[in-house]
Amino acid sequence: MIRKCRFAAMLAFSAMMSTAALVQAQAADLLSTLNSTHVLTIGTSNDAPLAYIDPQTKAAVGALPDLLRAALPLMGVKADVRAVAMPFSSLIPALQAGRIDMIGDGIYATAKRRQVIDFTSNTFYNPEALDVAKGNPDNLHQLSDLCGHSAGTYEGTTYVDQLKQASAACPAGKPIDIHLYPTIQNVFADLTAGRLNAGVVDSSLSAYALKQNPALSFELVADYKPADKAGSACAFGVTKGNDAFLAGFSKAYATMLADGTAAKIFTKWGLTPTSFFLSL
């Protein structure tokens, strides 16, 4: 009997210690973790100029990695910023599973997403663009003009819901033929090949793609009005319970906005005029 009691007590103690360790691990803030590991691993859908992996050096490059490299020292953190590429729709699951430390992509900080993860202070605004064939042969200017036409975007983005809502408002028998793709590059490819009438994707990525490759046979609709620029605020995503990191980043980024550091980084990556992306 005594042996059984001792064994039961040992099991109870072991369970208590395991629970305590779990609670301590869950309470660990990203800030303290970075001070220990000196590595910040971000997830990205691998889109220039925001965040992507350089094919030669394998380094994390783009405006967002540069923002982090400027902000971390202001937070008292010395860490190497690395990136893991994945489809946009995999970013939140990867963060929750602990495969990455942060979502370092142009992700909207929506109320729905805030239910499952936390976000830093807003880093920039990235409203959608309406991309069409050169010359806009179908005369498309707003989402309502897409009724009876095909339009594409990439999986996991809020643009999917925007297209679905616009299609639901179309006249009977003339819905939008919505195509979903794994990446934004797939949207550009089908639009250029004439397999889509329009693409609804990030304005920053559309402008950068055309700047890098003028041969792409599409253009941004100049008079298109984004549905909600305020709602296009992007931020870095982290798991719940990282209050110290969030507070530190907020203070650091406010300094970067005030002293022009953020604007210099956006200019470097062709995201101009910077006021369009950094303020409402």
Side-chain angles (χ1 to χ4, degrees), residues 43-54 61-65 83-89 91 104-107 124 126 154-155 157 159 182-188 201-202 204-206 208-209 269 271:
T44 173
S45 54
N46 216 30
D47 295 320
L50 298 180
Y52 63 105
I53 299 173
D54 184 281
V61 290
L64 299 183
V84 177
M86 63 189 69
F88 187 86
S89 58
L91 290 172
D105 207 306
I107 185 170
F124 71 107
N126 190 26
Y154 55 98
E155 297 168 346
T157 180
Y159 307 143
T183 71
I184 195 171
Q185 288 83 5
N186 297 134
V187 181
F188 292 153
V201 291
D202 312 65
S204 59
L205 303 184
S206 299
Y208 183 79
W269 290 100
L271 298 173

Side-chain angles (χ1 to χ4, degrees), residues 61-187:
V61 290
L64 299 183
D66 280 358
L67 288 182
L68 288 170
R69 292 186 180 105
L72 290 175
L74 297 178
M75 299 166 63
V77 174
K78 184 178 180 180
D80 182 27
V81 179
R82 301 175 185 176
V84 177
M86 63 189 69
F88 187 86
S89 58
S90 297
L91 290 172
I92 290 180
L95 179 66
Q96 293 174 314
R99 293 195 294 273
I100 56 176
D101 300 315
M102 170 186 286
I103 296 177
D105 207 306
I107 185 170
Y108 290 171
T110 64
K112 183 177 180 179
R113 289 171 177 155
R114 287 182 187 276
Q115 293 177 8
V116 292
I117 64 172
D118 277 340
F119 287 94
T120 63
S121 53
N122 296 339
T123 51
F124 71 107
Y125 296 91
N126 190 26
E128 78 279 6
L130 182 61
D131 297 348
V132 298
K134 279 187 177 180
N136 198 0
D138 297 309
N139 197 29
L140 306 174
H141 297 275
Q142 296 297 319
L143 296 188
S144 58
D145 295 333
L146 297 177
C147 296
H149 296 285
S150 61
T153 191
Y154 55 98
E155 297 168 346
T157 180
T158 57
Y159 307 143
V160 176
D161 289 337
Q162 284 182 240
L163 283 171
K164 288 181 178 179
Q165 290 171 7
S167 182
C170 287
K174 294 187 65 178
I176 301 172
D177 180 18
I178 301 173
H179 295 245
L180 303 182
Y181 298 86
T183 71
I184 195 171
Q185 288 83 5
N186 297 134
V187 181

